């Protein structure tokens, strides 16, 4: 309704309201759905208790502690990679389709990028009120990601090196990635009004961030194809390659 009415100014408030009700459901370990058919007035309780919805589990990975697969398994990862499919659909909606409609039971890994941090170096889930603190943008509103973020920031403050989450994720060299296990997708797509899901879906998140929020870019020209934009500073390029290498190895081991 907000989109149809063209009230784009209300989108940040809507995103915050969705996230707050999602967080409340996880805090209460339950939520209620309306009844079906003639029993529409009788609410149905959905429990979020048990080991599947326990305290968020996460682990930090960098070049020094990344577990390398030394079993061999034939060809290197680059040659064993499966076919890549490109889609413009919302990543969370793709996960929902895979789990519910396609019946996929295997592990699913989503790469999420933090784009804004607070003044204290914590993950700014709300993006300073803009709702754009992380991509996918609806990850905090539709999942229990905010619970993970809270645990991460508390853990970072206890670190003897006194480094923040921002320090670790945005380091130009030897950056860290964070693997979040059993992230729970609790809400449906925005086109359906972010409905609560009767059967929540779980997946793994690899959390990362760029070393520079707005890196310099330059235009590279070619003789036989259109020009392209790329990093203007080789340090930014190397930083990206290091992060992609970590992502690829962790995702390979996960799947």
């Amino acid at each position: 309704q907000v989109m149809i009415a063209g009230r784009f100014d209300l989108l940040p408030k809507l995103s915050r309201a969705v996230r707050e009700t999602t967080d409340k459901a996880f805090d209460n370990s339950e939520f209620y759905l309306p009844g079906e058919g003639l029993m529409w007035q009788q609410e149905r309780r959905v429990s979020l208790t048990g080991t599947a919805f326990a305290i968020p589990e996460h682990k930090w990975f960098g070049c020094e502690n990344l577990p390398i697969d030394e079993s061999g398994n034939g060809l290197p990862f680059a040659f064993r990679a499966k076919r890549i499919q490109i889609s413009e659909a919302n990543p969370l909606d793709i996960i929902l389709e895979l789990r519910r409609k396609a019946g996929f039971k295997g592990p699913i890994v989503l790469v999420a990028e933090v784009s804004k941090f607070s003044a204290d170096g914590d993950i700014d889930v709300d993006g300073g009120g803009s709702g754009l603190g992380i991509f996918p943008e609806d990850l905090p509103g539709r999942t229990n990601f905010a619970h993970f973020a809270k645990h991460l920031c508390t853990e970072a403050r206890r670190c003897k090196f006194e480094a923040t989450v921002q320090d670790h994720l945005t380091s130009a060299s030897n950056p860290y990635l964070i693997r979040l296990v059993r992230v729970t997708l609790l809400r449906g797509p925005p086109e359906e009004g972010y409905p609560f899901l009767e059967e929540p879906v779980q997946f793994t998140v690899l959390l990362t961030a760029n070393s520079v929020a707005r890196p310099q870019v330059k235009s590279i020209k070619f003789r036989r194809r259109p020009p392209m934009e790329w990093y203007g500073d080789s340090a930014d390029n190397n930083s990206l390659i290091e992060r992609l290498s970590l992502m690829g190895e962790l995702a390979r081991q996960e799947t």
Side-chain angles (χ1 to χ4, degrees), residues 3 13 52 60 71-72 74 110 142 167 177 187-188 193 233 242:
M3 297 290 287
K13 292 183 178 180
W60 300 71
S71 62
L110 170 71
R142 297 175 62 182
D167 294 332
L177 268 69
R187 309 290 287 262
D233 190 336
E242 192 169 4

Side-chain angles (χ1 to χ4, degrees), residues 101-144:
K101 295 186 177 181
F104 182 71
K105 302 297 183 181
I108 296 177
V109 181
L110 170 71
V111 176
E113 179 184 344
V114 181
S115 55
K116 289 189 178 181
F117 296 89
S118 68
D120 296 327
D122 294 339
I123 298 173
D124 189 353
V125 175
D126 195 36
S130 67
L132 302 176
I134 190 169
F135 180 84
E137 299 167 4
D138 52 353
L139 183 66
R142 297 175 62 182
T143 74
N144 58 340

